Amino acid sequence: MKTFYIETFGCQMNAHDSEKVVGTLLQKGYTQVQQPGDAELVLYNTCSIRDKAEQKVFNRLQQFKRDAGKGKIFGVIGCVAQQEGDRIFERAPHVSLVAGSASYTRLPEMLVQLEAGNRRVTGLSLDVNETFDTPFTRRDNPHRAYITIIEGCDKACAYCVVPFTRGPERSRTGESVMREARSLAELGYTEIQLLGQNVNSYRDPSPAGWDFARLIANTGTIAGIRRVRFTTSHPRDFVKEIIDAIDENPVLCNHVHLPVQSGSSSVLARMQRQYSRDQYMRRIEWMKNAKREIAITTDIIVGFPGETEADFRETVRLAEEVEYDSMFIFKYSKRPNTPALQYQDQVPEEEKTARLMHLQERQRAIQMRRNGRYVGHCEEVHVEGFNMATGQWIGRTAQNKTLNFHDPELPAPREAATRVGRYLNVLVTRAGPNSLAGERHTA
Ligand code: SAH
Ligand code: SF4
Ligand code: F3S
């Protein structure tokens, strides 16, 4: 019996890659185990986006060696694998496989090499024009399914490793996305989440030539699919037709994650984001004018090289103006291969921390205010689980807000399995900055 263990870091694309890798391994006769010590093959799917990621990977690899013991096969996959390449064999000689996501279609072949005793197996070419599509995906969630529609990134943001770790942009055909979505609906999935580093840069390579707005509109018509989400949208390629599609079909969730990174046009230019503050705000305006209220969320980088106090104030002002429903704030961190690594005027660490904390505090007040508006309103949630500690069900609204609720008819989790995945109406009775709370509404 061949056994494997896998540990995954990073974004949703990476999480979904692992689901596809797991499916591929199961199909090849492997069995998944929950402890590295029980596995013959230990895989580590890595992320390189921030914070000395490579060092953390090497530390974890050492720990794996200690915990898992001798005689195992270790593989590093994902973004740090692509970034560090052969150097991983030098720094961690117990590793036998190093492969980036652009090589996963070759996984079966790489497994054969490992099984044959090859201790230096690599998949590091970025010269690809195919995507990793497999019918064997083993999804973790039985109700909500990820579907990657576009891989790689053709932008060149000055701070970002992704173009180096995931290679050039390549889209799947619209038909193959539709086929996968339909088969998920047949399996009982009701929610799909379309994924891409720049999901809205999608362009169907087949003669049909669907753009992203057309693709989401089409997935929204599949019988059985009640919610379609997508992430992450890039502002530059965010066109009005996307909002029109959301307006036309309530199956397309009224939530858009649109990372702005900075509110200062001069910082945006140095980041090579390919849009100005005004262009970004025009897209926000489209969303604010949509028929249904659209929840808007974002990512911000504070302390990008050369960011002045005045630049930062523009970011704070933009956040106040947009009133985001949620925001991920990151301190700029230097990454290998990226242009910003060479930029002179780095912002001191204490200053980055101060800006992060200041923005977090302002954003918390905004979220408190925004979430407060839901009190007294009824929201439909997709039930995700039961929290034993609080005795509450966990639900998610179409706007991607967590709504925890009591159900007087079903106070105990006895029937959790039958309840999770259902859609229920919940009356919101309380609001916090990060979630809502309420009672099941049965009337
Ligand atoms: N493709 C998406 C972002 C993917 S990376 C986009 O362009 O919007 C996710 C987030 O990580 C980014 O939005 C950015 O805010 C953050 N990030 C990326 N590189 C970073 C770096 N070097 N330092 C700090 N944050 C970074
Ligand atoms: Fe990175 Fe920019 Fe590509 Fe997003 S668009 S993945 S931030 S290079
Ligand atoms: Fe990390 Fe790679 Fe995703 S760097 S954020 S796992 S694309």
Side-chain angles (χ1 to χ4, degrees):
M1 182 87 86
K2 303 183 282 186
T3 51
F4 75 97
Y5 166 86
I6 188 165
E7 197 168 295
T8 305
F9 281 84
C11 57
Q12 288 147 320
M13 306 264 300
N14 240 27
H16 184 45
D17 281 344
S18 280
E19 293 181 329
K20 294 195 266 188
V21 167
V22 168
T24 306
L25 286 161
L26 294 175
Q27 204 266 334
K28 292 285 164 206
Y30 283 75
T31 305
Q32 188 170 12
V33 296
Q34 300 307 319
Q35 297 297 331
D38 298 334
E40 287 161 51
L41 172 64
V42 176
L43 288 179
Y44 189 25
N45 191 0
T46 57
C47 169
S48 177
I49 202 79
R50 285 175 290 271
D51 304 332
K52 306 192 177 77
E54 5 348 285
Q55 194 48 51
K56 288 178 189 164
V57 166
F58 285 113
N59 294 346
R60 184 73 183 114
L61 284 172
Q62 284 309 318
Q63 207 181 351
F64 270 141
K65 194 168 129 190
R66 282 197 307 273
D67 296 354
K70 287 200 166 33
K72 314 262 168 185
I73 297 174
F74 294 92
V76 185
I77 60 175
C79 289
V80 175
Q82 186 69 51
Q83 177 189 299
E84 297 298 306
D86 287 329
R87 283 197 297 269
I88 294 181
F89 295 130
E90 288 157 33
R91 283 186 64 182
H94 58 297
V95 170
S96 304
L97 167 73
V98 175
S101 63
S103 301
Y104 293 163
T105 45
R106 285 185 44 228
L107 201 60
E109 176 202 323
M110 292 191 279
L111 289 171
V112 170
Q113 290 185 39
L114 285 173
E115 287 166 13
N118 188 341
R119 290 293 163 264
R120 287 285 183 272
V121 179
T122 55
L124 294 168
S125 170
L126 285 181
D127 186 15
V128 283
N129 56 15
E130 58 183 7
T131 52
F132 178 35
D133 307 334
T134 163
F136 305 118
T137 309
R138 177 57 66 98
R139 289 186 163 83
D140 296 331
N141 184 315
H143 307 287
R144 189 180 47 194
Y146 292 135
I147 303 180
T148 301
I149 63 165
I150 175 170
E151 293 183 23
C153 175
D154 277 350
K155 304 279 189 294
C157 301
Y159 50 81
C160 184
V161 291
V162 173
F164 309 100
T165 65
R166 287 193 173 260
E169 237 164 57
R170 53 230 188 255
S171 295
R172 289 171 62 178
T173 64
E175 197 33 56
S176 95
V177 174
M178 292 297 282
R179 218 180 304 125
E180 185 165 5
R182 280 192 212 104
S183 72
L184 288 165
E186 277 160 24
L187 289 170
Y189 284 90
T190 58
E191 180 170 332
I192 57 174
Q193 182 159 2
L194 308 178
L195 297 181
Q197 273 303 341
N198 296 309
V199 75
N200 57 324
S201 310
Y202 175 85
R203 173 62 77 164
D204 184 352
S206 82
W210 296 350
D211 62 9
F212 179 68
R214 181 74 184 276
L215 179 76
I216 55 173
N218 289 349
T219 55
T221 63
I222 296 171
I225 297 298
R226 293 182 62 161
R227 287 185 174 178
V228 174
R229 301 184 181 281
F230 52 86
T231 199
T232 294
S233 298
H234 191 285
R236 157 98 188 197
D237 303 327
F238 199 84
V239 294
K240 175 82 166 42
E241 285 74 11
I242 299 171
I243 303 300
D244 296 342
I246 294 174
D247 268 348
E248 268 159 41
N249 184 353
V251 167
L252 306 185
C253 287
N254 47 340
H255 166 227
V256 173
H257 185 64
L258 198 66
V260 65
Q261 314 299 359
S262 169
S264 152
S265 284
S266 77
V267 172
L268 288 171
R270 270 178 300 118
M271 285 179 166
Q272 292 165 174
R273 283 293 285 179
Q274 306 183 24
Y275 55 83
S276 64
R277 179 194 172 105
D278 285 351
Q279 285 167 327
Y280 182 86
M281 288 308 289
R282 203 163 311 139
R283 281 137 185 83
I284 295 295
E285 210 176 293
W286 295 338
M287 288 196 261
K288 298 272 181 195
N289 290 328
K291 286 187 196 146
R292 272 176 298 155
E293 183 195 86
I294 295 180
I296 309 170
T297 58
T298 203
D299 295 343
I300 303 267
I301 296 176
V302 295
F304 185 74
E307 183 189 70
T308 62
E309 189 56 41
D311 289 323
F312 174 64
R313 276 200 303 272
E314 286 202 53
T315 300
V316 177
R317 233 187 11 251
L318 179 130
E320 299 277 2
E321 223 171 290
V322 176
E323 293 205 288
Y324 289 105
D325 290 89
S326 155
M327 176 185 279
F328 295 104
I329 313 170
F330 306 107
K331 290 192 263 187
Y332 166 73
S333 84
K334 287 184 172 179
R335 304 305 296 129
N337 309 319
T338 60
L341 193 59
Q342 314 300 334
Y343 291 5
Q344 291 308 311
D345 34 9
Q346 299 283 333
V347 175
E349 193 57 31
E350 314 80 70
E351 188 55 40
K352 287 187 210 170
T353 306
R355 288 178 191 177
L356 177 113
M357 287 172 63
H358 178 83
L359 186 56
Q360 252 168 4
E361 206 175 296
R362 300 287 284 264
Q363 179 59 25
R364 192 182 153 84
I366 292 169
Q367 286 177 207
M368 195 65 229
R369 199 158 68 225
R370 284 193 71 74
N371 284 346
R373 299 169 314 134
Y374 293 88
V375 174
H377 289 247
C378 208
E379 291 282 320
E380 185 188 59
V381 299
H382 190 184
V383 182
E384 293 187 337
F386 186 84
N387 183 336
M388 294 291 232
T390 62
Q392 284 178 315
W393 294 91
I394 305 160
R396 189 168 295 277
T397 70
Q399 290 187 310
N400 207 34
K401 292 182 188 279
T402 302
L403 170 45
N404 302 307
F405 63 101
H406 287 287
D407 185 344
E409 281 177 26
L410 203 62
R414 259 175 295 125
E415 292 177 51
T418 58
R419 186 60 65 98
V420 170
R422 285 177 61 184
Y423 291 81
L424 299 176
N425 288 320
V426 175
L427 178 69
V428 180
T429 53
R430 276 177 300 129
N434 298 312
S435 66
L436 306 170
E439 302 285 333
R440 167 90 188 277
H441 187 75
T442 44

